[in-house]
Amino acid sequence: MKSDNVKCGMQQAPHRSLFNALGFTEEEMKKPMVGIVSSYNEIVPGHMNLDKIVNAVKLGVAEAGGVPVVFPAIAVCDGIAMGHIGMKYSLVTRDLIADSTECMAQAHQFDALVMVPNCDKNVPGLLMAAARINVPTVFVSGGPMLAGHVKGQKRSLSSMFEAVGSYAAGTMSEDDVREFEEKVCPTCGSCSGMYTANSMNCLTEALGMGLRGNGTIPAVYSERIKLAKHAGMAVMDMYRKNIRPRDIMTKDAILNALTVDMALGCSTNSMLHLPAIAHEVGFDFDISFANPISEKTPNLCHLAPAGPTYMEDLNEAGGVYAVMKELADAGLLHTDCMTVTGKTVGENIADAENKNPEVIRPLDNPYSKTGGLAVLKGNLAPDGGVVKRSAVCDEMMVHEGPARVFDCEEDAIAAIKGGKIVAGDVVVIRYEGPKGGPGMREMLNPTSAIAGMGLGSSVALITDGRFSGASRGASIGHVSPEAAVGGPIALVEEGDIIKINIPKMTLELAVSDEELAARKAKWQPREPKVKTGYLARYAAMVTSGNRGAILQVPGTGEN
């Protein structure tokens, strides 16, 4: 046992005295020590039930012969952090979570781990940590929120943000907004659409790191407690079989996750997190991998914000495994990949069934023949930009219009709500990337304002920042290189014509190479927005979005 390093031998007598202080019995000292990484807190709605999940995991671990030991991980609620300085602190927590979990697990020599995350950054952060630590590990999330009901229709958090835009446009009353406010988030859990948290929880199943239902069983269902108990049992089985994260999270497994992502219509943030997870297992993930996979992978699901269905509907329709079964039947998955069940992907999904062809479209009737995401390239984004094309209306798949340029999110929101953005415009928000933000803020407020103002089918938004999974429309993020390092997005001027062609995967600035070179020669780096604290250290080490905003020692590689 790895934990023997802190439990066995005369040299470890001082260590054992500290275990005595913890109340460990002699019997427990002889058993594997399983760390349970709890993301529980009282500020994130997706985490308020994690204490119950953790207790269930502890029971499962103990039942199967291990000793459960809980330690914490932080988590930020992106919804509460949205639209102010707090959003600068969201993405950056992914690395804090990975680093602190690595520190705790290695310092105390745990034999195995159960990760209990739920929201946007702590799922990928803990996947990154699992790859680094590489002891048997299982993921069990807190589960998604149930959809709200407003005026007879299912609604979610994205509806709430868009309601604020509708109020600004004069098409919704204050009483209507208040009704949304009180009803769109009716239970604990990760927000009810295919936003980032649910995207990443679903992808734990596709990667093989979570048990069946981990991404879709609602937070308030008792079945979620049973799943947590089984996760505790499963990690002990993995321990006995010596199945580790790097045996599971292989190149083929990551490509499986990307394929499932395309079918589900996941958040564009997955294109930040999959490269970062791949980096931890030594796989150089280029975001351009998305396009050939997208070209052959049909989009089978239109969950909110892309459509009228929610996570509870996906769960009832058969969940992630039913989607994977559709893909596997078409030869689109690597079915021999190992998983936390001790079985292969193919064995896990053999009995999966699509129970609702309206929620999970069959292969012969997809929402589109291509996947949910696309990477656009061109002289405006030489290293790529990411769009959730499954959430783009037909009218905006090809668009050309004048640039309306803003150097921060707040200025863009003021212009949108002030009626200064009109049909045909292309809103450009820059200096909001990983380094320039710093922290690569999500742009749910401006995209929701555009939708709420009735401009969703006529205005595009381009940024070196990123989007919430709740964003919809012609929203192109992660534009790389970012403005802070002199990428072409820094050279755009008011009124420049921008050409977007999502089917052809191009993003072009209609300015000559000579003119761009002249602008580049005059460009000067901006003073850092933050010069002290964690954000300053983060900005000094972070790469652009196309590389997953991973951290590297300054001077050791390209941005």
Side-chain angles (χ1 to χ4, degrees):
M1 291 187 293
K2 185 176 181 179
S3 61
D4 285 349
N5 291 326
V6 293
K7 293 191 300 188
C8 295
M10 186 55 65
Q11 197 67 25
Q12 276 65 46
H15 305 66
R16 289 194 296 276
S17 70
L18 294 169
F19 281 107
N20 285 333
L22 290 167
F24 271 54
T25 66
E26 287 187 22
E27 292 82 2
E28 287 175 317
M29 294 289 282
K30 296 173 184 177
K31 295 178 181 180
M33 190 165 63
V34 180
I36 301 174
V37 186
S38 171
S39 301
Y40 171 77
N41 63 49
E42 295 182 341
I43 190 63
V44 182
H47 291 224
M48 62 182 286
N49 66 324
L50 294 191
D51 54 342
K52 297 175 177 60
I53 301 297
V54 166
N55 285 335
V57 172
K58 290 173 70 176
L59 288 171
V61 168
E63 174 72 19
V67 179
V69 181
V70 179
F71 65 89
I74 64 169
V76 163
C77 176
D78 277 25
I80 295 174
M82 194 72 65
H84 56 89
I85 191 173
M87 183 45 68
K88 293 179 184 289
Y89 286 89
S90 173
L91 178 61
V92 305
T93 64
R94 185 186 69 184
D95 294 276
L96 283 173
I97 291 160
D99 293 348
S100 59
T101 302
E102 175 191 0
C103 291
M104 286 292 289
Q106 299 291 34
H108 301 101
Q109 295 290 284
F110 289 103
D111 297 298
L113 296 167
V114 180
M115 306 296 198
V116 187
N118 208 27
C119 288
D120 293 23
K121 309 310 170 303
N122 64 328
V123 182
L126 291 178
L127 284 165
M128 292 162 66
R132 292 182 197 173
I133 301 159
N134 202 36
V135 297
T137 303
V138 174
F139 276 68
V140 56
S141 78
M145 185 184 292
L146 294 178
H149 291 80
V150 183
K151 300 185 189 304
Q153 291 185 310
K154 285 187 177 181
R155 297 292 190 177
S156 64
L157 184 65
S158 55
S159 308
M160 183 71 254
F161 277 89
E162 290 179 14
V164 174
S166 298
Y167 175 76
T171 58
M172 187 175 283
S173 70
E174 186 174 347
D175 286 344
D176 288 335
V177 174
R178 182 61 58 86
E179 184 177 5
F180 272 77
E181 183 181 326
E182 293 175 349
K183 294 181 178 179
V184 296
C185 296
T187 73
C188 64
S190 47
C191 296
S192 56
M194 187 54 80
Y195 310 147
T196 305
N198 290 326
S199 294
M200 293 308 302
N201 280 327
C202 286
L203 294 186
T204 61
E205 291 190 57
L207 280 168
M209 292 297 293
L211 296 176
R212 183 177 194 161
N214 184 52
T216 60
I217 298 171
V220 294
Y221 283 16
S222 298
E223 189 180 355
R224 174 66 56 180
I225 301 297
K226 295 179 183 178
L227 182 74
K229 292 176 182 176
H230 284 134
M233 297 174 192
V235 81
M236 293 307 300
D237 187 52
M238 289 178 69
Y239 170 76
R240 295 184 183 97
K241 294 176 179 176
N242 196 29
I243 300 172
R244 299 169 181 251
R246 290 184 200 167
D247 300 324
I248 295 170
M249 289 192 287
T250 61
K251 176 180 178 180
D252 284 349
I254 291 168
L255 294 178
N256 276 352
L258 184 54
T259 301
V260 174
D261 183 308
M262 295 297 174
L264 286 172
C266 290
S267 164
T268 52
N269 281 314
S270 62
M271 294 302 291
L272 278 176
H273 301 321
L274 287 176
I277 296 162
H279 176 74
E280 298 293 345
V281 298
F283 170 30
D284 187 11
F285 184 106
D286 187 321
I287 62 170
S288 295
F289 293 162
N291 288 344
I293 288 179
S294 182
E295 285 301 292
K296 65 182 180 182
T297 305
N299 178 226
L300 304 180
C301 300
H302 261 194
L303 287 93
T309 53
Y310 294 81
M311 296 304 298
E312 63 205 65
D313 302 312
L314 178 60
N315 186 63
E316 295 301 319
V320 176
Y321 274 24
V323 176
M324 293 176 71
K325 183 67 161 57
E326 294 278 0
L327 297 172
D329 287 347
L332 295 173
L333 291 183
H334 300 280
T335 55
D336 57 350
C337 292
M338 180 51 64
T339 73
V340 294
T341 65
K343 299 178 181 179
T344 65
V345 167
E347 291 173 313
N348 284 345
I349 66 175
D351 64 347
E353 178 186 354
N354 183 352
K355 299 176 183 178
N356 189 335
E358 292 304 311
V359 175
I360 304 172
R361 291 278 186 91
L363 289 168
D364 60 1
N365 184 34
Y367 282 101
S368 65
K369 293 182 179 180
T370 53
L373 299 180
V375 174
L376 311 185
K377 287 192 174 184
N379 67 347
L380 186 51
D383 293 333
V386 182
V387 63
K388 187 173 183 177
R389 65 176 164 190
S390 61
V392 179
C393 64
D394 291 342
E395 300 96 303
M396 293 299 292
M397 296 299 282
V398 177
H399 181 75
E400 180 177 326
R404 305 298 309 279
V405 183
F406 303 93
D407 287 351
C408 68
E409 177 188 6
E410 289 83 357
D411 290 350
I413 293 170
I416 296 164
K417 290 186 176 179
K420 296 179 181 179
I421 302 302
V422 300
D425 284 348
V426 179
V427 176
V428 176
I429 305 177
R430 61 191 180 188
Y431 294 99
E432 290 283 10
K435 190 178 292 290
M440 202 178 189
R441 289 194 287 179
E442 287 185 342
M443 301 291 165
L444 179 56
N445 274 337
T447 59
S448 297
I450 287 170
M453 296 288 285
L455 298 171
S457 60
S458 60
V459 169
L461 194 156
I462 296 172
T463 182
D464 54 6
R466 61 193 179 94
F467 297 108
S468 164
S471 292
R472 61 187 176 99
S475 305
I476 302 163
H478 309 192
V479 169
S480 302
E482 63 173 292
V485 298
I489 192 171
L491 311 178
V492 180
E493 296 182 357
E494 186 80 8
D496 284 348
I497 298 300
I498 293 176
K499 299 180 179 181
I500 301 165
N501 192 317
I502 294 173
K504 292 186 177 179
M505 301 174 188
T506 58
L507 180 60
E508 297 285 345
L509 183 64
V511 172
S512 69
D513 292 344
E514 292 77 13
E515 173 62 16
L516 282 177
R519 293 181 188 180
K520 177 70 173 178
K522 296 177 183 177
W523 178 82
Q524 294 292 324
R526 302 285 181 93
E527 277 288 310
K529 294 177 184 176
V530 180
K531 298 181 180 180
T532 60
Y534 180 64
L535 285 180
R537 296 196 300 275
Y538 181 87
M541 299 176 68
V542 72
T543 63
S544 282
N546 67 299
R547 296 188 58 201
I550 60 172
L551 301 185
Q552 63 182 23
V553 177
T556 61
E558 299 285 331
N559 275 312

